[in-house]
Amino acid sequence: IFLVISVIKGSYAQLFQAEGKLAHVLDGDNIRHGLNNNLGFSAADREENIRRIGEVSKLFSTCGVITLVSFISPYIKDRDAVRAKVDAGEFIEVYMKIPVSVCEDRDPKGLYKAARAGKIKGFTGIDDPYEEPENAELVLEVSKEDGVLAPPEKMAGEILQYLKTNGYLGK
């Protein structure tokens, strides 16, 4: 099983491990420092970024690891391409819905500020679109415009409940 999640991830692996399941988080920032350190933010680079992480996730999945993919994947076609490479039901898209304004307010690396200043081109939500999932298996509202975040433990619990309800954790 591998899931596509964005924005937050800390509580997920711990919850799955508490259920006796092997889980690993693949974080977009960490992957960009290693495997994908030669990629920028152009549409072609973003496509390759998601293609590579899809292949890595598939390897983890074939070993029975629940792979939590914490990436911003802005294009529907890229997410669909990864979904098409795995068996039916093995790709679970979790849309972590959060307004761009909240992302900008919570920008510890200053990437949104740099994009607004024109220093980063093709940045999702600034001068490049984010195509919201049309059929995500699960949609979690991380925050409204007020910036108050839903508790990570609550959202992780909702994902865990989805997996239990749909028979993924019994495999």
Side-chain angles (χ1 to χ4, degrees):
I1 303 167
F2 67 98
L3 304 107
V4 179
I5 61 173
S6 299
V7 184
I8 59 174
K9 64 248 170 220
S11 300
Y12 301 109
Q14 294 169 355
L15 259 177
F16 294 119
Q17 289 164 357
E19 290 285 321
K21 300 295 179 182
L22 187 57
H24 187 71
V25 176
L26 295 174
D27 178 76
D29 289 338
N30 292 337
I31 298 294
R32 278 193 174 272
H33 292 301
L35 177 65
N36 293 346
N37 68 356
N38 62 325
L39 300 175
F41 294 102
S42 71
D45 283 353
R46 287 183 177 276
E47 178 180 356
E48 179 61 12
N49 187 41
I50 298 305
R51 187 199 68 77
R52 288 181 192 176
I53 200 60
E55 293 294 338
V56 171
S57 299
K58 185 177 175 183
L59 292 172
F60 275 85
S61 181
T62 60
C63 297
V65 177
I66 297 172
T67 308
L68 306 164
V69 181
S70 180
F71 272 61
I72 296 173
S73 179
Y75 310 123
I76 291 171
K77 70 175 182 61
D78 296 341
R79 296 188 299 266
D80 287 347
V82 174
R83 185 185 296 268
K85 290 184 178 188
V86 298
D87 293 337
E90 290 296 307
F91 180 101
I92 302 164
E93 187 170 14
V94 180
Y95 175 30
M96 306 297 284
K97 193 169 186 170
I98 185 168
V100 171
S101 62
V102 176
C103 293
E104 287 188 77
D105 290 343
R106 303 177 50 81
D107 183 21
K109 296 180 189 112
L111 296 176
Y112 284 92
K113 186 176 181 181
R116 289 273 185 215
K119 296 176 183 173
I120 299 175
K121 298 292 182 198
F123 199 76
T124 301
I126 304 301
D127 62 348
D128 203 54
Y130 178 79
E131 299 171 357
E132 290 191 24
E134 295 171 348
N135 297 301
E137 282 77 7
L138 194 56
V139 177
L140 300 177
E141 192 164 45
V142 177
S143 172
K144 294 187 185 324
E145 289 292 337
D146 62 10
V148 176
L149 298 178
E153 300 80 14
K154 178 183 180 288
M155 290 184 288
E158 289 181 45
I159 293 172
L160 189 63
Q161 186 59 48
Y162 174 89
L163 295 174
K164 285 179 179 177
T165 299
N166 290 283
Y168 286 100
L169 296 183
K171 290 182 178 180

